[in-house]
Amino acid sequence: MGKKRGMMSESLKTTLAKDLGFYDTVQQEGWGSISANDAGNMVKRAVEIAKQNLK
């Protein structure tokens, strides 16, 4: 199997983490340290942005 690729760009993830208030955690401990709740909120926000861009 091939290497897993993320669906979101690093830039988008960073922007969302800053907007949602947990970017400090990401900077200090990496993406693996965010909670499942924070990851879910990132996905929800990304979907909202995508829907807005389709209109």
Side-chain angles (χ1 to χ4, degrees):
M1 272 204 229
K3 188 175 169 182
K4 286 188 179 181
R5 287 189 315 141
M7 297 302 290
M8 284 189 236
S9 70
E10 199 67 26
S11 164
L12 177 58
K13 290 193 306 188
T14 298
T15 300
L16 293 172
K18 288 178 180 177
D19 289 348
L20 296 170
F22 58 86
Y23 185 65
D24 290 340
T25 302
V26 172
Q27 282 187 304
Q28 293 170 3
E29 302 174 32
W31 287 108
S33 66
I34 67 170
S35 70
N37 190 44
D38 286 338
N41 288 336
M42 281 180 63
V43 172
K44 286 180 194 174
R45 184 67 185 121
V47 169
E48 288 171 1
I49 291 169
K51 285 181 178 179
Q52 289 174 354
N53 289 337
L54 289 175
K55 291 183 180 179

